């Protein structure tokens, strides 16, 4: 007696189809699972046995062989419990073959026959639609994220018996549906607003430029100057996520099991702020069973690293590839996985170890050697990959006591959106989405300053000894400043403002 049930396995943030083949033959009672199963998949035999008995079905006392094909892809997690149980029932004739070929099944079984939620339902739904299936049978808790994929019937079940009755046609379960427009709008929670920030006009302008061109940013300032407060408000001025971006970001959160029950779609740009004790695997991803790290969880959003010099040096160095390529590749002996990591890096640090170097109101206790050693914890190559460096001084009492609201995020966001629209038109038909992603070819074509701008660049480059990468960063930022001003060409004033956003180059020049 042989039966085949269709399921799916996660590979990175995507899913592939898995054929669950169940063979029941004469012989001593035995349950073998083959096809590179991990520990959780091997343990499914005990969960399936108890679930079938407690749901009122007979467990065959024969030789049972379960093959998970393709056999060269490692299978992980408990999502194969439901398809294995249904496969055993199909092999014994309890479940009819009619609907089995039309649906992908996934779900963890409890010992009483209940169906528990699993990770990666959105990726499985995308794979099912791509494979031409009519729908998927999933736990009730996962139905919302599965229903985000249009053109697919999402059948939500709470118990094994419900799935069996549906597959046999003795019970009709209406496909779970969601209003995508309402879901998308209800998930767009912008949170904090720049209207609450007192003073710091220079810093807010720099953040606007960074958001307009998706430039990486570093803020230097004493404790309490508002660096973290400013960083947490950056998502409120970034362009709203497109539906494709929301799906891509939600996939990462779905694979990690971080989606809340009533939040089937991540429609707000992520803001991730890991502690400085994080490991390189926690930041970049990996592990024995590779999982996405913080750089992938901040995909299409903001990764905020507070107290940047306190991070371990090897942790910071692994940021180079995601900052350059927008993706992370994790290689193991059996497989190589690629996770998306197109994020905007925002970092904050004190100017020295005590935090008060250059502060007119506090005495700095650090020697020049201490300051140099503190700042040298951040390598030159990493610093070169950060487009904008700004100083965030302490806020004066006059600004703090001002009762008037500052410019709200909505006003800044409108200018950012207009700038991004110019960039989308400029890079139409290419893989570049914003000024920060420009290659040398694009810089040569779109970042030609006027004669006065050329003279200023030559003077500053020679005086400060800027690296070639710093030179191109200035041109990229100047292009964004010109876009914010709706200027077709880069002028001297745009170059001058861009140079002001390289404060660490000025300090070390």
């Amino acid at each position: 007696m042989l039966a085949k049930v269709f399921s799916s396995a996660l590979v990175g943030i995507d899913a592939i189809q898995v054929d669950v083949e169940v063979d029941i033959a004469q012989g001593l009672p035995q349950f073998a699972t083959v096809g590179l199963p991990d520990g959780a998949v091997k343990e499914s035999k005990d969960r399936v046995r108890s679930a079938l008995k407690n749901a009122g079905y007979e467990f065959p006392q024969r030789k049972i062989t379960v093959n998970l094909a393709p056999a060269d892809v490692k299978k992980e997690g408990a999502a194969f419990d439901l398809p294995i149980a249904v496969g055993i029932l199909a092999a014994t004739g309890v479940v009819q073959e009619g609907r089995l070929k039309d649906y992908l099944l996934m779900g963890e079984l409890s010992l009483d026959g209940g169906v528990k939620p699993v990770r990666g339902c959105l990726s499985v739904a995308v794979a099912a639609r791509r494979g031409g299936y009519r729908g998927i049978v999933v736990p009730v808790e996962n139905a919302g994220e599965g229903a985000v994929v249009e053109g697919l019937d999402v059948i939500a079940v709470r118990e094994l018996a419900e799935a069996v009755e549906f597959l046999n046609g003795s019970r009709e379960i209406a496909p779970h549906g969601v209003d995508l427009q309402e879901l998308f709008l209800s998930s767009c929670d912008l949170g904090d607003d720049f209207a609450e920030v007192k003073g710091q006009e220079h810093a807010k302008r720099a953040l606007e430029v960074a958001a307009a061109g998706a430039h990486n940013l570093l803020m230097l300032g004493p404790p309490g100057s508002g660096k973290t407060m400013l960083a947490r408000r950056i998502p409120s001025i970034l362009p709203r996520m497109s539906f494709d971006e929301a799906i891509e970001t939600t996939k990462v959160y779905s694979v990690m099991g971080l989606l809340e029950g009533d939040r089937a779609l991540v429609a707000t740009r992520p803001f991730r702020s890991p502690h400085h004790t994080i490991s390189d695997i926690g930041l970049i991803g990996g592990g024995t069973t590779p999982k996405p790290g913080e750089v992938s969880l901040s995909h299409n959003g903001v990764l905020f690293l507070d107290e940047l010099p306190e991070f371990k040096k090897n942790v910071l160095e692994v940021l180079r590839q995601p900052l350059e390529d927008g993706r992370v590749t994790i290689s193991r002996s059996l497989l190589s996985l690629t996770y998306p990591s197109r994020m905007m890096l925002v970092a904050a640090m004190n100017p020295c170890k005590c935090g008060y170097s250059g502060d007119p109101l506090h005495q700095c206790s650090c020697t020049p050697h201490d300051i140099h050693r503190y700042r040298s914890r951040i390598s030159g190559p990493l610093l070169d990959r950060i487009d904008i460096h700004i100083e965030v001084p302490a806020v004066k009492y006059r600004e703090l006591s001002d009762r008037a609201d500052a410019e709200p995020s909505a006003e800044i966001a409108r200018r950012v959106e207009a700038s991004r629209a110019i960039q989308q038109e400029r890079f139409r038909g290419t893989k570049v989405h914003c000024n920060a992603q420009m290659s040398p070819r694009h810089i040569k074509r779109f970042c030609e300053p006027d004669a006065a701008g050329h003279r200023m660049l030559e003077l500053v480059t020679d005086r400060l000894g800027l690296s070639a990468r710093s030179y191109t960063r200035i041109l990229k930022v100047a292009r964004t400043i010109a876009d914010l001003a709706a200027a077709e060409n880069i002028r001297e004033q745009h170059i001058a403002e861009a140079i002001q956003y390289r404060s660490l180059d000025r300090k070390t020049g």
Side-chain angles (χ1 to χ4, degrees):
M1 294 174 284
L2 178 67
K4 182 185 288 189
V5 178
F6 300 110
S7 187
S8 190
L10 296 174
V11 179
I13 65 166
D14 295 315
I16 62 169
Q17 178 185 316
V18 172
D19 297 346
V20 181
E21 300 171 333
V22 180
D23 177 67
I24 301 179
Q26 296 291 344
L28 293 174
Q30 182 184 358
F31 196 127
T33 305
V34 297
L36 280 185
D38 73 346
V41 179
K42 290 178 181 177
E43 291 172 353
S44 67
K45 62 182 180 182
D46 299 313
R47 292 190 297 271
V48 168
R49 181 184 290 111
S50 297
L52 286 173
K53 288 182 177 178
N54 292 323
Y57 301 104
E58 183 180 351
F59 186 82
Q61 298 300 316
R62 296 182 182 179
K63 182 180 179 181
I64 302 173
T65 304
V66 177
N67 179 41
L68 306 175
D72 60 343
V73 177
K74 190 171 183 179
K75 319 302 186 306
E76 301 168 349
F80 294 103
D81 289 3
L82 180 61
I84 289 174
V86 170
I88 291 174
L89 294 176
T92 56
V94 176
V95 174
Q96 307 303 313
E97 292 185 7
R99 290 184 173 179
L100 278 180
K101 64 181 183 298
D102 296 328
Y103 292 87
L104 287 185
L105 280 66
M106 64 181 300
E108 177 183 346
L109 290 178
S110 59
L111 299 185
D112 62 357
V115 182
K116 293 183 175 181
V118 292
R119 297 181 291 109
C121 183
L122 177 59
S123 300
V124 172
V126 173
R129 186 180 65 178
R130 187 172 60 242
Y133 288 90
R134 180 177 175 182
I136 56 177
V137 179
V138 297
V140 169
E141 292 85 350
N142 295 123
E145 58 181 289
V148 169
V149 180
E150 295 180 307
L152 197 71
D153 290 347
V154 178
I155 308 301
V157 295
R158 284 189 169 84
E159 298 177 347
L160 172 61
E162 287 184 39
V164 171
E165 292 169 4
F166 170 77
L167 292 170
N168 281 334
S170 59
R171 174 190 289 201
E172 290 301 325
I173 301 177
H176 187 87
V178 295
D179 186 335
L180 287 179
Q181 188 69 20
E182 182 181 347
L183 181 64
F184 194 73
L185 292 176
S186 65
S187 300
C188 291
D189 179 19
L190 295 180
D192 299 322
D193 197 291
F194 268 99
E196 303 156 355
V197 180
K198 304 291 186 182
Q200 303 293 13
E201 298 305 323
H202 172 69
K204 285 191 278 190
R205 168 63 180 177
L207 293 181
E208 179 182 338
V209 173
H215 299 289
N216 300 322
L217 175 97
L218 173 63
M219 294 181 281
L220 296 92
S225 59
K227 301 185 295 294
T228 303
M229 185 180 189
L230 287 164
R232 291 191 179 279
R233 282 155 178 77
I234 292 177
S236 68
I237 63 173
L238 290 173
R240 289 185 179 272
M241 292 179 77
S242 67
F243 187 72
D244 288 341
E245 286 179 323
I247 289 289
E248 198 173 30
T249 305
T250 306
K251 271 188 181 182
V252 180
Y253 280 74
S254 176
V255 165
M256 290 293 288
L258 296 177
L259 286 180
E260 301 169 6
D262 57 345
R263 189 187 181 199
L265 192 68
V266 178
T268 304
R269 294 195 179 273
F271 180 89
R272 304 291 298 185
S273 179
H275 193 260
H276 61 76
T277 56
I278 192 171
S279 66
D280 52 351
I281 290 177
L283 185 66
I284 211 76
T288 306
T289 302
K291 293 287 190 298
E294 290 291 338
V295 294
S296 296
L297 289 170
S298 56
H299 179 58
N300 289 322
V302 175
L303 176 65
F304 177 52
L305 303 182
D306 201 3
E307 304 296 343
L308 188 65
E310 301 300 330
F311 285 79
K312 297 183 184 72
K313 193 156 190 173
N314 66 304
V315 173
L316 293 179
E317 292 308 304
V318 297
L319 281 172
R320 293 193 197 180
Q321 185 205 4
L323 288 178
E324 287 289 331
D325 303 336
R327 63 181 182 273
V328 175
T329 301
I330 300 170
S331 298
R332 295 290 181 268
S333 57
L334 292 177
L335 79 165
S336 180
L337 299 177
T338 298
Y339 295 113
S341 61
R342 193 174 62 248
M343 79 316 191
M344 178 178 165
L345 175 66
V346 178
M349 61 180 284
N350 295 331
C352 63
K353 193 171 182 62
C354 76
Y356 295 110
S357 173
D359 191 329
L361 302 179
H362 296 84
Q363 181 69 35
C364 176
S365 59
C366 302
T367 65
H369 176 69
D370 291 336
I371 296 175
H372 175 74
R373 186 170 58 182
Y374 180 75
R375 295 190 179 185
S376 65
R377 294 181 188 178
I378 308 166
S379 69
L382 176 62
L383 206 55
D384 275 347
R385 286 169 170 82
I386 300 178
D387 299 351
I388 297 177
H389 318 146
I390 58 165
E391 295 180 359
V392 183
V395 184
K396 296 185 170 110
Y397 173 77
R398 185 187 308 168
E399 295 170 329
L400 282 174
S401 61
D402 187 2
R403 307 300 297 176
D405 283 341
E407 186 178 27
S409 293
E411 292 294 328
I412 304 173
R414 269 195 280 272
R415 296 195 294 269
V416 170
E417 290 269 12
S419 172
R420 287 288 184 100
I422 294 173
Q423 294 168 49
Q424 287 175 2
E425 185 62 32
R426 175 184 299 133
F427 303 122
R428 186 181 299 278
T430 70
K431 293 183 179 180
V432 177
H433 300 91
C434 51
N435 290 335
Q437 299 172 0
M438 282 192 290
S439 66
R441 177 169 55 88
H442 295 114
I443 293 173
K444 184 177 180 181
R445 180 178 177 186
F446 299 117
C447 299
E448 184 67 23
D450 60 12
H454 266 300
R455 287 193 296 272
M456 176 173 288
L457 264 177
E458 181 180 6
L459 176 66
V460 171
T461 302
D462 291 343
R463 179 172 296 176
L464 298 183
L466 299 180
S467 67
R469 186 176 276 122
S470 295
Y471 170 77
T472 59
R473 299 297 184 202
I474 289 174
L475 286 177
K476 287 181 180 181
V477 173
R479 179 68 268 175
T480 300
I481 295 168
D483 290 340
L484 282 168
E488 185 174 347
N489 299 314
I490 299 177
R491 302 193 181 99
E492 182 183 14
Q493 63 265 33
H494 305 144
I495 294 289
E497 184 177 351
I499 292 170
Q500 292 299 311
Y501 298 143
R502 301 292 301 183
S503 64
L504 286 182
D505 292 334
R506 298 200 305 274
K507 290 285 185 185
T508 56

